Amino acid sequence: MTTDAHVDPGTEARRRTEADPLSRYAREYATDVIHLNGNSLGPPRASLTGELDRVVSGQWARKHVRAWFEDGWLDLPRTIGDKLSPLLGAHPGQVVVAGETTSTTLFNALVAACRLRPDRALLLVEAGAFPTDLYIADSVARLLDRELLISQGFDDDLRERGPEVAAALTAPVDFRTGERRDIAATTAACHAAGAISVWDLSHAAGVLPLDLAAARVDLAIGCGYKYLGGGPGAPAFLYVPDRLQSLVDFPLTGWHGHARPFEMGPTFDPATGIDRGRTGTPPLLSLIALDHALDPLLDVGIHELRRRSLDLGEYFLECLAYRRPELLRGLASPRDPERRGGHLALRVPDAEAVESALLERGVLVDARPPDLVRIAFAPLYVTHEQVWRATGALSDSVEGLR
């Protein structure tokens, strides 16, 4: 560890915790474990129950259906989208949280992307994509009679078969190893090939600067329950730049995406702007929870969130090198922190047993078969002290399973 040889490591961990002003946010979150699983599901803020009670008791119970109009419920998919935009590097009016799942939002985006290139037969997806992305892409390809290429060499296939590619789906962070992919460079390669770029931001939103507008991303989606902390099954978001909003033709055409939803007309007339990406009546309480979760993230800002996450990840590796350096030989993530997202992965024998042993010691991580343990460094509820304690628990867990 990069500390004075005479300084106790636990004391150094406390010093680093106290020295970083972002450590104060950890007190705002309701969790009784060291939570290193934010790339799967973040914990709630302790004040969430009060916020939900405010809406349920003060709005729903008192105003009933009138609250849709009097308390801004009807506008929440768009207002939360605008609120989320700074974390994504998007402009106002380019993001909507329609209240759908990540799967249905991705389906909507992929079909719309293919419809923008009706003369091209190929749908390109990275082989290491999250399973949902693979399943949805397969369904879209069958539905639209396109060829699906699950690519082991995404960049090479994009170059070699670019003129055939209607849409190319990938992610800025590998969900297993945390390895980053350059959004701007990959989007530029898609455009050079004439393909529509589609991004799954689920493992990046809220922990990694994305700069969607500057990179000229075509379409992007992401879930609300990982680093954004919106709660189990929190609704997904959809990004559509201004230049495509009048052109996208979404397959899911619910009444909230209609230009005049309360006319109740028999045919669908798509709304202008980002509202075109809305579908049916959104799940209000889930939107409230996501809206509440975003406040501290916006208070800090995406660049400080990234700085803190990187610092925690590097400190974890320092602590592990001090306690049990042989485990670093199993590092499955890039060693360069700039090439990682918000988590890293270690290869260990019997990863699921290690996950269980850590939980018994009050540390929450998750395993991915066959041998990966993923450790996430969400910046607002993880501290340096917790990282030091977690490496001790990891060392003990591995030793106990030998």
Side-chain angles (χ1 to χ4, degrees):
M1 294 178 67
T2 56
T3 185
D4 190 300
H6 301 292
V7 176
D8 173 71
T11 301
E12 171 65 9
R14 285 191 295 275
R15 184 196 69 76
R16 295 196 191 202
T17 295
E18 293 166 2
D20 193 323
L22 268 59
S23 296
R24 65 183 177 86
Y25 285 94
R27 296 189 295 270
E28 296 187 14
Y29 289 84
T31 177
D32 58 358
V33 296
I34 296 175
H35 200 300
L36 302 179
N37 193 26
N39 58 335
S40 186
L41 174 66
R45 294 172 65 200
S47 53
L48 175 59
T49 52
E51 177 65 6
L52 289 172
D53 183 64
R54 181 187 70 82
V55 172
V56 172
S57 300
Q59 297 177 0
W60 180 11
R62 293 186 179 186
K63 300 180 183 180
H64 308 286
V65 73
R66 291 182 293 115
W68 283 105
F69 307 94
E70 295 178 8
D71 291 303
W73 291 3
L74 201 61
D75 297 326
L76 272 178
R78 188 174 58 252
T79 57
I80 297 174
D82 284 346
K83 189 173 183 176
L84 177 57
S85 291
L87 297 175
L88 305 178
H91 299 315
Q94 295 184 329
V95 180
V96 68
V97 184
E100 301 294 335
T101 67
T102 310
S103 301
T104 52
T105 305
L106 178 60
F107 175 82
N108 232 15
L110 271 185
V111 171
C114 289
R115 286 176 171 176
L116 287 168
R117 295 292 184 267
D119 57 335
R120 293 181 170 215
L122 192 62
L123 175 54
L124 179 65
V125 184
E126 197 161 23
F130 191 78
T132 287
D133 296 22
L134 298 174
Y135 307 156
I136 294 293
D138 178 71
S139 178
V140 168
R142 288 185 286 109
L143 179 71
L144 301 180
D145 196 23
R146 305 293 176 100
E147 177 189 351
L148 176 65
L149 175 56
I150 299 176
S151 175
Q152 298 287 349
F154 185 89
D155 299 308
D156 291 339
D157 284 327
L158 186 58
R159 278 192 300 271
E160 293 169 9
R161 300 190 64 180
E164 304 171 63
V165 178
L169 170 64
T170 187
V173 176
D174 185 293
F175 83 97
R176 290 185 176 88
T177 67
E179 184 171 4
R180 286 183 62 181
R181 168 177 283 279
D182 189 299
I183 288 181
T186 302
T187 299
C190 289
H191 291 172
I196 299 297
S197 65
V198 184
W199 289 88
D200 181 349
L201 309 177
S202 295
H203 288 84
V207 76
L208 187 67
L210 299 169
D211 298 323
L212 300 184
R216 292 187 58 79
V217 164
D218 295 315
L219 297 170
I221 63 96
C223 72
Y225 48 83
K226 298 184 188 297
Y227 294 109
L228 296 180
F237 61 85
L238 169 71
Y239 167 82
V240 186
D242 300 343
R243 59 189 163 82
L244 293 180
Q245 287 178 5
S246 64
L247 303 176
V248 286
D249 180 12
F250 292 114
L252 301 178
T253 49
W255 73 295
H256 277 237
H258 197 283
R260 300 168 304 281
F262 292 97
E263 285 188 6
M264 304 293 176
T267 58
F268 184 74
D269 182 7
T272 58
I274 195 63
D275 279 334
R276 180 177 295 213
R278 296 175 64 164
T279 48
T281 304
L284 190 278
L285 297 181
S286 292
L287 289 177
I288 294 296
L290 177 58
D291 184 52
H292 181 260
L294 292 177
D295 288 337
L297 301 176
L298 290 163
D299 183 43
V300 171
I302 191 60
H303 294 288
E304 267 294 278
L305 293 169
R306 173 62 171 166
R307 189 273 307 166
R308 166 81 166 191
S309 180
L310 283 178
D311 190 43
L312 291 168
E314 285 299 282
Y315 186 56
F316 176 88
L317 295 176
E318 282 185 45
C319 293
L320 200 60
Y322 179 84
R323 289 189 186 271
R324 193 168 285 273
E326 70 275 13
L327 289 181
L328 292 178
R329 292 196 293 270
L331 182 64
S333 307
R335 183 59 189 86
D336 179 358
E338 293 297 335
R339 293 181 55 216
R340 298 196 301 265
H343 75 277
L344 56 80
L346 295 175
R347 295 197 185 280
V348 296
D350 205 352
E352 290 186 353
V354 171
E355 176 190 352
S356 297
L358 280 169
L359 187 57
E360 290 177 2
R361 292 167 170 83
V363 179
L364 183 63
V365 298
D366 79 342
R368 283 289 179 266
D371 60 354
L372 285 183
V373 170
R374 302 189 306 171
I375 303 111
F377 304 97
L380 295 189
Y381 50 82
V382 179
T383 69
H384 293 81
E385 274 190 281
Q386 290 178 338
V387 167
W388 168 247
R389 287 159 49 199
T391 56
L394 178 59
S395 177
D396 292 344
S397 298
V398 171
E399 183 64 30
L401 291 170
R402 285 184 172 177

